[in-house]
Amino acid sequence: DADVTQTPRNRITKTGKRIMLECSQTKGHDRMYWYRQDPGLGLRLIYYSFDVKDINKGEISDGYSVSRQAQAKFSLSLESAIPNQTALYFCATGEKGRQETQYFGPGTRLLVL
Amino acid sequence: QQQVKQSPQSLIVQKGGISIINCAYENTAFDYFPWYQQFPGKGPALLIAIRPDVSEKKEGRFTISFNKSAKQFSLHIMDSQPGDSATYFCAASIFGNTGKLIFGQGTTLQVKP
């Protein structure tokens, strides 16, 4: 079984819709991260969390929100999706003291029409 | 503003050749420089990393060369194989801090048989 799972793997939605991307991990890591990947831009950090009560904005948090429901679960929401949020989204985990080594999920490909 | 600049965007190498990918950074506070490898349909995975107290690190066919004064680092893949065909991302962070990684734009490598 995969250590970091993301659901859904693919999603098509319309402008203005609210959607949630979910991430679960069985690695027991306390750090969790959400990134988006765009061609020619690499991966950019959206939000990161050190534990359930510690959530921080990344480089590009506008238009996104997150929820850390448990140590193992970290969800990303787009309150009102827009076309330029079309991207590949990755969740990652990191271990306290070794958080520079991050373990990525398989990604969610999101298309906003 | 891209804090980590990566080149080339794409690279084609013959089997057995040397693949070289370059990155440059701006923030002199960065002190951890990993490379991630991403296969199609998968999330990135840590390949190799270096800290600036050494100028080179080698793991098998993969070598990182680091030039602190020039604020540049590069990945060399010796004896490149078709199985090395993937997208490679360099990244930088401040070690022991939040684990926030700043990624380069990515390089798509194709190794021809």
Side-chain angles (χ1 to χ4, degrees), chain A residues 33 37 40 90 99-100 102 105, chain B residues 32 36 38 96-99 105:
Chain A
Y33 307 82
Q37 181 179 349
F90 287 101
Q99 54 266 15
E100 289 77 12
Q102 293 183 14
Chain B
Y32 178 78
Y36 279 77
Q38 181 184 29
N97 194 359
T98 61
Q105 297 91 327

Side-chain angles (χ1 to χ4, degrees), chain A residues 9 31 33 35 37 40-43 45 48 50 57 59 88 90 99-102 104-106, chain B residues 2 32 36 38 41-44 46 89 93-105:
Chain A
R9 293 294 312 278
R31 268 70 166 154
Y33 307 82
Y35 293 89
Q37 181 179 349
L41 295 178
L43 292 100
L45 183 63
Y48 61 103
F50 288 166
K57 293 183 177 181
E59 300 174 69
L88 188 54
F90 287 101
Q99 54 266 15
E100 289 77 12
T101 300
Q102 293 183 14
F104 285 78
Chain B
Q2 193 79 28
Y32 178 78
Y36 279 77
Q38 181 184 29
K42 304 293 186 181
L46 180 66
F89 294 97
S93 75
I94 301 172
F95 191 80
N97 194 359
T98 61
K100 288 169 59 176
L101 293 172
I102 306 299
F103 283 89
Q105 297 91 327

